[in-house]
């Protein structure tokens, strides 16, 4: 005797697919948007449009962009592309990534968090010291220092925190064996070493 299943019975018997985890979704997207917004000025300045840079960036850098100095224009394009890569890392942290890709986004996310927060804090600290009169600055650069204190410093810190939260949430949700933590720690330590080297040598 043939047994006919109703549509409802068939639907109940069909295996349900488990929803795919989306670790760190909103901070990852925040980091991605931050990277795209930050890349836009680099590309604009590389193409000769320095609107907004004259009052917020060092005049010597603006002059290099205005004069279309080849090496500096190349640096602007490269930095813009790196910021786009940062946006892709942020997107990578919004959902489960398998194998080497997952390890790579955790490594880069941890490193980006440290580098951005580090440089943002340096900008803020320098601006505060200038505003408090503890560090001298040329009169024509006083206004520029305030931009680094109130705009660029906080902007770097916000981006770094977005990467930090996205990476932390990704690791906490998917790192059952502790493997991703090691990659994240390696990225953090590498960024710290790079930052300390930059500070002690004055390069970067």
């Amino acid at each position: 005797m043939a047994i006919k299943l109703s549509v409802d019975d068939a639907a109940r018997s069909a295996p349900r697919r488990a929803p795919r985890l989306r670790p760190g979704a909103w901070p990852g997207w925040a980091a991605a948007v931050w990277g795209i917004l930050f890349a836009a000025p680099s590309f604009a300045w590389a193409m000769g449009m320095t609107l907004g840079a004259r009052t917020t960036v060092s005049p010597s850098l603006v002059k290099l962009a205005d004069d279309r100095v080849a090496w500096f224009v190349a640096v602007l394009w490269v930095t813009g592309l790196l910021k786009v890569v940062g946006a892709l890392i942020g997107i990578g942290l919004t959902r489960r990534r398998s194998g080497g890709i997952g390890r790579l986004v955790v490594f880069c996310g941890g490193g980006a968090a440290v580098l951005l927060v580090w440089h943002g804090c340096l900008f803020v600290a320098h601006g505060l010291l200038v505003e408090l009169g503890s560090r001298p600055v040329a009169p024509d650069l006083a206004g520029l220092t305030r931009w680094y204190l109130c705009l660029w410093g906080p902007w770097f810190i916000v981006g770094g925190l977005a990467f930090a939260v996205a990476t932390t949430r990704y690791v906490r949700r998917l790192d059952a064996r502790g493997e991703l933590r090691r990659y994240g720690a390696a990225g953090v330590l590498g960024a710290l070493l790079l930052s300390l080297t930059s500070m002690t040598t004055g390069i970067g």
Side-chain angles (χ1 to χ4, degrees):
M1 178 179 178
I3 299 177
K4 295 183 179 180
L5 295 175
S6 66
V7 174
D8 291 339
D9 292 336
R12 283 195 295 269
S13 63
R16 294 183 178 180
R17 296 182 61 184
R20 196 169 189 178
L21 292 177
R22 297 181 63 80
W26 72 263
W29 285 114
V33 171
W34 181 92
I36 294 298
L37 291 177
F38 201 21
S42 295
F43 291 135
W45 299 340
M47 291 184 289
M49 297 178 288
T50 55
L51 181 65
R54 300 183 184 281
T55 56
T56 62
V57 179
S58 172
S60 60
L61 298 181
V62 175
K63 187 176 187 307
L64 289 173
D66 284 339
D67 294 343
R68 311 298 297 157
V69 177
W71 68 265
F72 185 70
V73 172
V75 167
L76 288 173
W77 282 111
V78 170
T79 54
L81 290 174
L82 288 175
K83 293 167 186 176
V84 172
V85 170
L88 295 177
I89 296 299
I91 294 174
L93 291 167
T94 61
R95 61 189 300 177
R96 182 196 300 270
R97 307 294 172 180
S98 60
I101 296 178
R103 293 189 289 269
L104 179 62
V105 295
V106 169
F107 175 84
C108 293
V114 170
L115 286 175
L116 293 172
V117 172
W118 178 281
H119 280 82
C121 288
L122 286 180
F123 289 152
V124 170
H126 174 76
L128 286 175
L129 289 175
V130 171
E131 291 299 309
L132 293 174
S134 300
R135 187 163 187 172
V137 65
D140 58 331
L141 296 179
L144 180 63
T145 300
R146 295 188 187 100
W147 279 107
Y148 277 83
L149 169 63
C150 300
L151 174 63
W152 295 120
W155 177 256
F156 273 76
I157 293 172
V158 167
L161 292 178
F163 278 103
V165 175
T167 304
T168 300
R169 292 184 65 175
Y170 187 98
V171 169
R172 284 181 176 175
R173 294 189 181 188
L174 297 179
D175 194 23
R177 296 178 297 176
E179 180 184 13
L180 290 177
R181 286 179 174 81
R182 293 193 291 272
Y183 282 89
V188 167
L189 291 175
L192 281 174
L193 180 61
L194 181 62
S195 299
L196 289 171
T197 302
S198 174
M199 185 177 68
T200 55
T201 61
I203 300 175

